[in-house]
Each structure stands twice: as C-alpha cells, then as structure tokens.
Amino acid sequence: MSHLTYPPPRYLGEGGEVNATFRSAAAEPELSSGTGNRTHYLATGESTGGEFGLYKVEMGPRSPGPSTHFHRSISESFYILSGEMQLFDGERWITGREGDFLYVPVGGLHAFKNTSDDPVSLLLLFSPGAPREDYFERVAEMTRRGGQELEDFRVQHDSFFVDE
C-alpha cells in the first residue's frame, strides 16, 4: 500500500474547465541546429504552471550531449522514442533503446549522448517545471564563450557539472 496521498485541491470549481492544450505532431520544432539536433517544446514549465516541462529532443548521429552533471531543484527523466543512445546513471553508461526509461532524482549524477551513426529521438521530462527553454536556446553560445560567464549561466539554470 502506498504512503503517498493526493495533494490538496487546487481547482475548487464544480463543473471543470475547458483548458487543455493540444500540440500537433506536425508542429515545427522550436530549436534546430545544423547538426541534426531539434527540440520541440511540448509542455513548458510556464505552460504547466510550474508542474513539469516536457520536451521532445531529436539528436543527430554522433551528438555529444552534456557531460556528467546534476540538478539541485529538478528531477530529469528520459524516455527513448526511437534509436539508441548512451545514458549515464551516475555509476555506468547504459545503452538506451526504444521504450527504455531513466529517472534521475534531484541531485542525481547523469549524462547522455548519441554515439551511434543514426539519429535518436527521446522525451525529456523535468519536474517541477523550470525555464529550460532559455538554457536550450543559449547553451551552445554560452559554451563557446566559456569561463565565468558559462559557469554563471549553468548555475542560473540549475546545472552543476562535475567532470570538466
């Protein structure tokens, strides 16, 4: 028997509301790079009232991804939609394939990369929702700048790298 309980009600109306959001699979990604990487903002932290952020990420062949890091305020989950990628669970690298799932609690070390010659598609879920869009949109530029500016950017976005 679970010891979890439902949180207190946040909606106190009687009849429900029409407030769902639909995003077509045909929608263009919000971010695209010349290396075949694309990111779709399925549900941002802002659009979910801070409950979660959900992103579809398409990584091109041989895409490095972020090195080992952790988050102090958000968990991160990975669900592989197609292809094969490497996931680091804090102890070892695991080959993730279609249908595989990795949950990384707050503070958990993790990393991911596509070492294959084929693209990979995955869902990234952050909970609670955080403004990850700014991170996705600026991380390449900030990495090129490097130094203290990069470090400040990472801290601002709750990303603490350990192997650099």
Side-chain angles (χ1 to χ4, degrees):
M1 181 105 190
S2 174
H3 298 294
L4 293 177
T5 60
Y6 283 92
R10 294 184 302 160
Y11 173 73
L12 302 176
E14 294 299 321
E17 295 182 7
V18 176
N19 60 4
T21 303
F22 174 79
R23 179 182 167 99
S24 169
E28 290 295 317
E30 280 71 15
L31 288 178
S32 294
S33 74
T35 60
N37 294 343
R38 298 165 25 128
T39 304
H40 301 259
Y41 297 173
L42 303 180
T44 65
E46 184 173 338
S47 73
T48 66
E51 291 185 32
F52 65 93
L54 181 64
Y55 306 88
K56 179 181 175 188
V57 176
E58 298 165 328
M59 296 177 74
R62 304 273 171 206
S63 293
S67 59
T68 303
H69 63 286
F70 64 93
H71 306 291
R72 295 185 186 278
S73 64
I74 55 176
S75 66
E76 187 169 358
S77 297
F78 301 81
Y79 182 80
I80 311 300
L81 296 169
S82 65
E84 179 178 295
M85 69 181 305
Q86 298 301 304
L87 300 164
F88 184 65
D89 70 358
E91 290 185 319
R92 68 189 189 286
W93 285 96
I94 302 164
T95 300
R97 295 179 178 88
E98 182 178 331
D100 288 343
F101 176 78
L102 175 68
Y103 168 65
V104 183
V106 173
L109 293 169
H110 62 287
F112 60 97
K113 59 188 174 183
N114 181 4
T115 59
S116 78
D117 291 328
D118 297 312
V120 65
S121 179
L122 67 146
L123 294 176
L124 284 182
L125 174 72
F126 296 95
S127 179
R132 296 304 285 174
E133 303 78 35
D134 183 60
Y135 182 82
F136 295 145
E137 292 166 9
R138 297 181 55 215
V139 66
E141 168 198 344
M142 298 308 288
T143 300
R144 281 191 297 275
R145 291 183 186 185
Q148 190 61 47
E149 198 171 1
L150 174 59
E151 184 58 31
D152 292 345
F153 175 78
R154 287 175 167 172
V155 169
Q156 173 191 354
H157 290 286
D158 190 25
S159 296
F160 300 87
F161 287 77
V162 299
D163 64 349
E164 296 181 311

